[in-house]
Amino acid sequence: MSLIQFSAQYGGGNSRNVIGPYHMRLNEIFYNDERKNRYFYTLEYLSIIFRVSGSIRNFKSEGPERLKKVKNKAILTIDFSIPQEKWDGVDSNDFKAYVADGIRGGMNMLIEACERMGEIQDKERILHDFNDGIDEFLRN
């Protein structure tokens, strides 16, 4: 079990190439590290799904939204919608900071939902590990 799993929906064009490397790197940091586990009582992990608009599909929104529990699974998920103008032609460092800010916003919403559900074992550890992971993401 890990803290967060990242997935993505791509809207075409270059959207996969722009977010794909970040998506994979974030899973290396947050989902495959077995040292970072047992954060919740019954939840397996949290999930953030990038919805990246492109030339074929426009998700018509921006930021973290649509928080829900996955049906028949012990997983909470939230979408992070990214409009095409936020990545197309944007400096890679600026886009990476934008992605990190969006992940922070989504994580805050997920943690609040976990607290309402009585799922959090150790909030300090979650926040510490999450912040360490975001710092690692921004460094590399």
Side-chain angles (χ1 to χ4, degrees), residues 78-126:
I78 193 165
D79 294 345
F80 171 26
S81 297
I82 303 172
Q84 185 172 354
E85 63 270 10
K86 293 295 182 177
W87 62 264
D88 195 7
V90 174
D91 175 79
S92 62
N93 290 327
D94 292 340
F95 181 62
K96 192 175 203 178
Y98 171 84
V99 169
D101 287 343
I103 292 169
R104 283 187 191 103
M107 186 63 171
N108 288 337
M109 293 170 71
L110 288 163
I111 288 172
E112 288 172 7
C114 288
E115 287 179 314
R116 286 191 303 272
M117 295 169 66
E119 277 290 337
I120 294 184
Q121 288 187 14
D122 185 348
K123 186 176 179 179
E124 293 298 319
R125 183 166 45 131
I126 290 172

Side-chain angles (χ1 to χ4, degrees), residues 46-102:
L46 304 174
S47 171
I48 295 177
I49 302 170
F50 296 115
R51 299 175 81 220
V52 187
S53 292
S55 58
I56 297 172
R57 183 167 183 195
N58 182 348
F59 292 104
K60 299 181 182 174
S61 59
E62 180 177 4
E65 60 185 359
R66 296 173 38 171
L67 186 142
K68 62 186 176 262
K69 183 184 176 297
V70 176
K71 188 175 183 176
N72 298 324
K73 294 192 179 193
I75 301 165
L76 276 185
T77 186
I78 193 165
D79 294 345
F80 171 26
S81 297
I82 303 172
Q84 185 172 354
E85 63 270 10
K86 293 295 182 177
W87 62 264
D88 195 7
V90 174
D91 175 79
S92 62
N93 290 327
D94 292 340
F95 181 62
K96 192 175 203 178
Y98 171 84
V99 169
D101 287 343

Side-chain angles (χ1 to χ4, degrees), residues 32-44:
N32 293 323
D33 188 352
E34 290 303 318
R35 292 172 293 140
K36 298 178 180 179
N37 60 19
R38 301 309 311 156
Y39 298 101
F40 313 106
Y41 291 108
T42 62
L43 290 175
E44 293 178 39

Side-chain angles (χ1 to χ4, degrees), residues 1-4 27-39 44-45 125 129:
M1 184 187 82
S2 298
L3 182 55
I4 310 168
N27 276 333
E28 289 172 4
I29 293 168
F30 288 105
Y31 190 66
N32 293 323
D33 188 352
E34 290 303 318
R35 292 172 293 140
K36 298 178 180 179
N37 60 19
R38 301 309 311 156
Y39 298 101
E44 293 178 39
Y45 57 87
R125 183 166 45 131
D129 290 351

